[in-house]
Amino acid sequence: MTTDDLFINSKGAYLQVTNQMFCIRTKDAKTKKYQAHPPIAPHTVHRIFLHRGTAVSVDAMHLALINNIDIVLMQHDDHPIGRVWHTKLGSTTKIRKRQLEASLNAVGTAWVKQWLSAKLGNQVAMIEQLKKHRESKRAYLHEKVDKIKAMQMSIEALEADHTEAIADTLRGLEGTAGRLYFETLSYVLAKAYQFVGRSKRPAHDAFNAFLNYGYGVLYSMVEHALVIAGIDPFVGFMHRDGYNQRSMVYDFIEPYRGYVEQVVMKLFTAKKVNQSHTDAIKGGVRLNETGKPLLTEALGQYLRGDKVKHGRKQQTRENIIKLEAVTFAQSLLAG
C-alpha cells in the first residue's frame, strides 16, 4: 500500500491513537459534537501536517516517531514553522563540517550556480510546454524563453572564490528571471485568474495562494530529505543565515519549485479551480478546507505517484529529491 501525507487542518480536529492506529476526531461546527473517522494504519502515512487550531496526543506523536513519520506544524499562512521527529542524526557529522567549509569557498558557489541554473532551465521548459497549444501567444512566449535563457547563461558564466562575492548578482539575475516567468504564467491564464507578480504572506490572488501552500509542502519534503542525508538545513550557501533561518532548505529547493508550479498551473488551466477554493483574509486570500485537498491530492500524485526517468531508473519525484540530497552530501564528504 502506498503512503500519503496526512493533513489535519479542520479547527478542533484531534489526532489520537486507537489500537495502534491513528484516529482523527473532527468537531461539527454547528452541533459542537465530535465525530470519529475511520482508523489509519501508520504504514500508510508518510508525513503528518498539523495546522493551528488542531491538536495531537502524545501517544499519536510516539506512534509517528517509532514509524519514522515526521510531524510538521503549519502556520496560518500555510508555511511550516517546525516539526517533530526522531532525535538521530541523518548521517555522520563530518558532512556538516564539510558543508560549513563549502559555504565559505568556491564549492558552495558551484552548487548555487548549478541549483539556480536548473531552476531557470525548468522555467524555460515550462514555457516551452505552454507554447504547444497556444499558437497566438507563441511570439510572446518565445521572447520570454530567450530572456530567461540569457539570465541562465549569465549565472553559469559567473566565477568567484565564495558565493558572497557574487550573491547580489545572482539574486538580481534570479529575480529578473522569476519576474519574467510569472508574468508569462499569468499571461496564459484565464483573465479571472491573472495576477501581478509573486505575493507570499498573504497571497494577493488565488494562483499565489495555491503556490504558497504547495511550496510549504515542498519545503517540508526538502528539509526531511536534507536531514536524512546528513545535511544541516540551517547552513546555506546563498540565502542569508538569519536567526532560525533554514537557509539550506531555501538553497536546495530551487530546482524543485517547478514541481509545484507544474501542478498548480495544470489545476488552473484545466479549470479545476474556482472561487470556492479560497477565502478572503486581511490583505489577501488563502486556501480553505475545499482548496487544500484539491491541491494536496494533485501534488501527492505528482510527487509520489507518478514516476519519471532519473538516471537509469524510473523514480518518483520525491525519491529524486532524496537521491539528489544524498548525492549532495556524498560530494561534500568526498571533498
Side-chain angles (χ1 to χ4, degrees):
M1 183 178 291
T2 58
T3 59
D4 206 350
D5 289 336
L6 182 59
F7 291 84
I8 303 175
N9 50 40
S10 299
K11 189 174 182 180
Y14 181 62
L15 179 66
Q16 60 184 35
V17 173
T18 303
N19 297 325
Q20 292 304 299
M21 304 270 277
F22 291 118
C23 184
I24 302 172
R25 294 191 304 154
T26 54
K27 192 175 183 180
D28 187 278
K30 294 182 179 179
T31 65
K32 305 299 182 183
K33 293 182 178 180
Y34 279 94
Q35 174 188 0
H37 295 265
I40 303 168
H43 70 272
T44 67
V45 179
H46 195 264
R47 262 181 304 268
I48 298 172
F49 289 84
L50 290 172
H51 291 248
R52 294 183 66 178
T54 65
V56 58
S57 70
V58 173
D59 285 347
M61 288 192 289
H62 185 270
L63 184 62
L65 293 178
I66 63 175
N67 284 279
N68 199 27
I69 302 167
D70 57 311
I71 302 172
V72 184
L73 308 179
M74 306 289 280
Q75 301 186 82
H76 276 318
D77 61 3
D78 302 323
H79 196 83
I81 191 174
R83 64 198 314 149
V84 180
W85 53 15
H86 59 72
T87 57
K88 297 178 183 177
L89 287 174
S91 187
T92 172
T93 55
K94 187 181 289 187
I95 295 174
R96 287 168 165 79
K97 293 177 181 178
R98 294 288 184 266
Q99 179 185 349
L100 184 58
E101 292 170 358
S103 71
L104 303 172
N105 61 36
V107 173
T109 305
W111 277 106
V112 169
K113 288 169 56 181
Q114 178 178 318
W115 292 330
L116 292 182
S117 177
K119 176 183 181 178
L120 269 61
N122 292 338
Q123 292 175 348
V124 167
M126 169 76 96
I127 299 174
E128 292 284 5
Q129 185 178 328
L130 295 174
K131 287 167 61 176
K132 293 180 181 178
H133 305 292
R134 295 174 174 84
E135 187 63 37
S136 63
K137 296 179 171 64
R138 187 176 292 272
Y140 176 93
L141 298 176
H142 186 73
E143 178 187 356
K144 297 295 185 181
V145 163
D146 286 346
K147 289 181 177 180
I148 295 175
K149 280 184 176 179
M151 303 293 168
Q152 184 183 21
M153 291 175 64
S154 296
I155 287 174
E156 293 171 351
L158 289 172
E159 297 289 344
D161 292 334
H162 56 90
T163 309
E164 191 60 33
I166 56 172
D168 288 341
T169 304
L170 286 169
R171 293 188 188 102
L173 291 168
E174 178 197 13
T176 300
R179 177 179 56 78
L180 294 169
Y181 174 64
F182 286 109
E183 278 179 4
T184 306
L185 298 191
S186 175
Y187 179 73
V188 301
L189 289 176
K191 286 188 176 181
Y193 291 110
Q194 289 181 350
F195 58 94
V196 181
R198 281 285 290 126
S199 52
K200 300 177 182 178
R201 301 184 182 182
H204 296 160
D205 53 82
F207 193 86
N208 275 290
F210 271 79
L211 278 184
N212 293 347
Y213 193 86
Y215 287 151
V217 174
L218 189 65
Y219 288 144
S220 174
M221 184 179 294
V222 167
E223 184 184 6
H224 183 267
L226 289 173
V227 173
I228 295 302
I231 300 295
D232 189 332
F234 292 91
V235 180
F237 293 166
M238 186 179 80
H239 285 86
R240 292 184 174 91
D241 299 323
Y243 179 70
N244 276 341
Q245 184 81 10
R246 292 171 175 81
S247 305
M248 180 50 70
V249 177
Y250 295 118
D251 284 352
F252 190 82
I253 199 175
E254 298 294 12
Y256 311 109
R257 289 183 182 273
Y259 291 169
V260 174
E261 294 149 11
Q262 285 275 356
V263 171
V264 172
M265 197 67 186
K266 187 173 182 180
L267 288 175
F268 275 80
T269 55
K271 299 180 180 179
K272 293 185 178 181
V273 178
N274 57 55
Q275 292 182 350
S276 70
H277 294 124
T278 58
D279 289 336
I281 58 173
K282 185 178 180 180
V285 298
R286 70 180 179 195
L287 263 65
N288 57 27
E289 293 183 18
T290 304
K292 290 174 182 176
L294 174 68
L295 176 57
T296 55
E297 182 178 341
L299 194 58
Q301 177 62 38
Y302 189 78
L303 294 174
R304 288 193 302 280
D306 301 338
K307 290 186 176 182
V308 293
K309 190 172 183 180
H310 182 72
R312 296 182 179 181
K313 295 183 178 181
Q314 294 288 320
Q315 300 282 357
T316 65
R317 292 176 176 87
E318 182 173 31
N319 278 344
I320 290 173
I321 294 175
K322 293 177 180 178
L323 290 170
E324 292 299 329
V326 170
T327 299
F328 174 44
Q330 290 176 341
S331 74
L332 291 176
L333 198 58

